[in-house]
Amino acid sequence: MGSSFTAALANSLTPAYSLATVVQQFPEFQSLPEYVLAHSFPKGGNNPSYLLNVSIPEATMTMFNRIAVQILSLPSLPRSVSNIQLSPAAIISAIYPLQGNEAAIGLSLLSRPIERIAVINAINTVQLVVAGPYKQLQGTFNILGRLPLFSSTNGINTTSIEGLGGEEVPGQKFWGLTTVTINFNLLV
């Protein structure tokens, strides 16, 4: 695995940055943390407490899907990229492609210990954090690239997130994350 692996991994992480740019430019995405928090509730039943029923406005979801198709259709993108995700308030609210990934919708990344570590690291460092590889039920191994986003107007005050050791970014709130899922088996 040397420099060619590093280059392939770096190239596979670009969708997280592309989606972050879109989120920061379009007002349709700006208020999503507050919307998701107001419209999320536990699934109940036998579901774990870190799985929530969540929804985002239909027009925003349509825009996300259109943009995700464009990002994932870039000819320079390696085939190792499995999906991209949008997680306002650290709750997975949109995934493209959705097919095969439905179970992840509503996952509260700050409530599930294995996800929380990478999210806290991303918030503390204000940088993309790569985690994994994790073995999936399908037998593949995935790497996750999580990029934290901050906003001056919308999001969560970082002082309200338990376990953060970093300094609060003055005038900035934690908006959420963009994530790219990379199939490790196809990357190497």
Side-chain angles (χ1 to χ4, degrees):
M1 279 194 253
S3 61
S4 62
F5 173 80
T6 304
L9 178 60
N11 195 23
S12 297
L13 294 169
T14 57
Y17 292 102
S18 300
L19 186 55
T21 300
V22 169
V23 166
Q24 293 168 334
Q25 289 179 351
F26 288 91
E28 293 84 352
F29 293 104
Q30 291 304 305
S31 61
L32 279 181
E34 289 81 4
Y35 184 90
V36 165
L37 288 173
H39 294 87
S40 298
F41 54 92
K43 285 190 174 189
N46 293 332
N47 289 301
S49 61
Y50 53 77
L51 280 178
L52 305 172
N53 280 313
V54 66
S55 69
I56 62 175
E58 187 176 331
T60 305
M61 182 59 86
T62 300
M63 179 182 252
F64 167 79
N65 286 328
R66 276 198 326 259
I67 292 165
V69 166
Q70 292 175 353
I71 292 171
L72 294 182
S73 297
L74 294 172
S76 61
L77 195 64
R79 64 185 184 102
S80 58
V81 175
S82 299
N83 66 62
I84 55 176
Q85 306 169 11
L86 191 61
S87 304
I91 299 170
I92 299 176
S93 303
I95 301 176
Y96 187 87
L98 181 59
Q99 185 176 2
N101 297 303
E102 297 88 348
I105 295 291
L107 177 62
S108 174
L109 300 171
L110 288 169
S111 298
R112 187 167 180 231
I114 195 165
E115 306 290 347
R116 182 179 173 77
I117 295 167
V119 172
I120 293 294
N121 285 339
I123 295 169
N124 276 336
T125 62
V126 192
Q127 294 182 20
L128 184 136
V129 169
V130 177
Y134 301 112
K135 187 171 185 179
Q136 305 299 298
L137 294 174
Q138 304 91 331
T140 61
F141 287 87
N142 286 340
I143 295 174
L144 301 170
R146 297 203 188 279
L147 180 65
L149 303 178
F150 295 85
S151 169
S152 60
T153 56
N154 300 93
I156 304 168
N157 287 321
T158 53
T159 54
S160 68
I161 301 173
E162 186 179 327
L164 280 180
E167 295 292 320
E168 184 168 2
V169 180
Q172 296 290 303
K173 295 180 178 182
F174 173 61
W175 182 94
L177 303 134
T178 61
T179 300
V180 60
T181 303
I182 303 162
N183 183 320
F184 184 75
N185 303 57
L186 296 177
L187 185 64
V188 291

